């Protein structure tokens, strides 16, 4: 058994958009990670993980997915011997807990592994459908390669270098813990239902995709002054059109951040709970405003 660690991921930009073939930027976040172990002592969380892996294995077997390259008999045998996924990635928080497990299973139990991100993204999309009903396949990709990826479209996806963190910078991108797990499948279905409205689909293409792409460009160019202006526009758009995806207790907080220009929020993953992503020109000021909440800096500038 390897000791490979599989990190969580943070989709900085592109939530929901990548489902519609728009741009996205996703990075690994190694503070949260997971790896395979075998149960040596009885603990409820280990037993539960083993049970969930068994259910997932049954799904892959029943769907006859990739069986020619998939050593499913060894996986079943390891499950019987107490295999579990030792992970501190919180489930339902937008950090890719299922993506890390999918990446780990592919890495450990598949032969003739692919290195082309486009092919892998398609494989991972099918494998992760067990957890969310519909998956872009991006989350497992980030967890598997442990590198940032720029997603231009379903067929154009590349590793990318992101700017260096400035540990002395006043500004920060941070996670804000809502304290509420998200129901990802429900949120995605909500989005798919909204797509049936032609007017919504039109403004998603004309407005969301533009703000989203501008955010990605300014971040990669290391232009954080412009980034904050673009994120503000994106935050307003999300507030106006994705309000059902914002945890209800954070709607006023979201609005105040925009009005006071203290910080701007966007969804981290599907929304509805989990983490929010915050962008602040002055993190110390944001901390004072959000003193009641659990926060974690992921990037300083």
């Amino acid at each position: 058994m390897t000791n490979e660690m599989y990190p969580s991921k943070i989709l900085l930009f592109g939530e929901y958009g990548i489902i519609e073939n728009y741009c996205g930027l996703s990075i690994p976040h190694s503070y949260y990670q997971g790896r395979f172990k075998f149960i040596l002592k009885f603990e409820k969380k280990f037993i539960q993980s083993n049970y969930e892996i068994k259910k997932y294995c049954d799904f892959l077997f029943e769907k006859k997915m990739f069986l020619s390259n998939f050593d499913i008999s060894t996986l079943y045998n390891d499950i019987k011997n107490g295999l579990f996924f030792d992970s501190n990635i919180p489930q339902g928080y937008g950090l890719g807990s299922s993506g890390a497990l999918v990446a780990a299973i592919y890495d450990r139990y598949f032969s003739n592994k692919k290195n082309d991100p486009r092919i892998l993204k398609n494989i991972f999309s099918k494998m992760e459908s067990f957890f969310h009903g519909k998956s872009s396949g991006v989350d497992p990709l980030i967890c598997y390669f442990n590198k940032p990826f720029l997603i231009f479209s379903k067929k154009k996806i590349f590793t990318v270098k992101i700017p260096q963190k400035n540990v002395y910078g006043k500004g920060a991108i941070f996670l804000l813990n809502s304290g509420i797990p998200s129901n990802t499948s429900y949120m995605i279905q909500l989005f798919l239902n909204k797509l049936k409205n032609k007017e919504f689909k039109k403004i998603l293409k004309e407005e969301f995709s533009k703000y989203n792409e501008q955010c990605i460009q300014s971040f990669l160019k290391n232009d954080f002054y412009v980034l904050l202006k673009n994120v503000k526009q994106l935050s307003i758009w999300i507030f106006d059109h994705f309000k059902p995806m914002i945890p209800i207790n954070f709607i006023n907080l979201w609005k105040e951040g925009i009005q006071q220009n203290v910080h701007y929020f966007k969804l981290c993953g599907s929304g509805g709970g989990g983490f929010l992503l915050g962008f602040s020109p002055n993190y110390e000021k944001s901390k004072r405003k959000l003193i009641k909440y659990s926060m974690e800096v992921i990037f300083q500038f």
Side-chain angles (χ1 to χ4, degrees):
M1 179 63 65
T2 68
N3 288 317
E4 285 293 327
M5 303 294 292
Y6 301 89
S8 62
K9 62 82 204 182
I10 294 174
L11 186 62
L12 283 182
F13 302 104
E15 68 286 345
Y16 292 110
I18 56 175
I19 295 176
E20 280 296 284
N21 216 24
Y22 300 136
C23 289
L25 177 63
S26 192
I27 62 172
H29 185 48
S30 58
Y31 179 81
Y32 299 102
Q33 54 189 343
R35 67 176 177 178
F36 282 132
K37 287 185 179 178
F38 286 98
I39 296 171
L40 297 177
K41 60 178 180 177
F42 182 88
E43 282 194 35
K44 186 177 178 181
K45 64 178 182 179
F46 300 160
I47 303 297
Q48 183 65 28
S49 174
N50 178 266
Y51 172 72
E52 294 297 334
I53 294 172
K54 168 67 165 57
K55 280 202 323 187
Y56 180 51
C57 191
D58 290 343
F59 164 80
L60 295 174
F61 180 73
E62 287 165 10
K63 295 291 182 181
K64 302 192 182 329
M65 286 190 178
F66 323 112
L67 294 186
S68 60
N69 297 321
F70 183 16
D71 190 359
I72 199 164
S73 60
T74 297
L75 176 53
Y76 269 124
N77 189 59
D78 286 346
I79 291 167
K80 287 178 184 177
N81 289 324
L83 183 79
F84 73 100
F85 196 56
D86 186 24
S87 169
N88 68 344
I89 308 172
Q91 294 183 21
Y93 275 72
L95 296 184
S97 57
S98 61
L101 176 61
V102 168
I105 285 178
Y106 181 83
D107 195 27
R108 171 66 183 169
Y109 296 100
F110 277 63
S111 60
N112 301 319
K113 289 187 277 289
K114 308 297 182 184
N115 289 317
D116 186 331
R118 294 167 299 175
I119 296 173
L120 268 177
K121 182 176 174 290
N122 185 48
I123 292 170
F124 288 152
S125 173
K126 294 173 183 175
M127 289 179 69
E128 202 181 23
S129 64
F130 170 78
F131 299 97
H132 307 312
K134 183 169 183 177
S135 166
S136 68
V138 168
D139 287 5
L141 199 67
I142 310 307
C143 302
Y144 181 71
F145 283 105
N146 195 13
K147 292 179 180 178
F149 271 86
L150 179 60
I151 303 105
F152 282 110
S153 66
K154 290 175 183 176
K155 294 185 178 179
K156 293 175 70 177
I157 178 166
F158 310 97
T159 57
V160 65
K161 289 188 75 170
I162 63 172
Q164 285 192 322
K165 299 176 184 179
N166 177 3
V167 293
Y168 302 108
K170 287 174 62 177
I173 303 173
F174 61 93
L175 294 172
L176 180 73
N177 192 338
S178 73
I180 313 160
S182 170
N183 184 335
T184 302
S185 297
Y186 176 76
M187 289 292 127
I188 290 174
Q189 191 56 52
L190 199 64
F191 172 72
L192 295 176
N193 289 339
K194 285 174 75 70
L195 279 180
K196 295 174 184 176
N197 183 310
K198 289 183 179 178
E199 183 60 28
F200 173 77
K201 194 159 186 172
K202 183 172 180 281
I203 59 175
L204 186 77
K205 181 178 181 180
E206 294 176 355
E207 297 176 10
F208 172 85
S209 65
K210 179 181 74 173
Y211 299 143
N212 182 61
E213 192 168 327
Q214 288 171 344
C215 285
I216 293 171
Q217 289 175 355
S218 51
F219 177 79
L220 292 177
K221 287 178 181 176
N222 210 15
D223 192 341
F224 296 104
Y225 174 76
V226 173
L227 172 67
L228 288 167
K229 290 172 65 176
N230 291 331
V231 170
K232 181 178 180 179
Q233 293 300 315
L234 184 60
S235 184
I236 293 169
W237 193 94
I238 293 169
F239 186 83
D240 290 341
H241 300 286
F242 279 168
K243 195 175 286 184
M245 284 80 161
I246 300 172
I248 192 164
N249 295 343
F250 290 84
I251 287 176
N252 288 335
L253 205 66
W254 191 297
K255 190 175 181 180
E256 286 170 8
I258 294 169
Q259 291 173 337
Q260 298 172 13
N261 290 307
V262 182
H263 37 245
Y264 312 115
F265 290 113
K266 63 180 294 296
L267 301 177
C268 180
S270 62
F275 288 107
L276 300 179
L277 263 176
F279 295 74
S280 173
N282 187 327
Y283 183 65
E284 290 302 317
K285 187 174 180 181
S286 291
K287 271 206 308 187
R288 291 193 293 272
K289 283 272 186 183
L290 302 168
I291 195 167
K292 294 191 298 183
Y293 303 96
S294 173
M295 300 166 66
E296 176 194 339
V297 173
I298 62 169
F299 190 91
Q300 272 182 276
F301 56 87

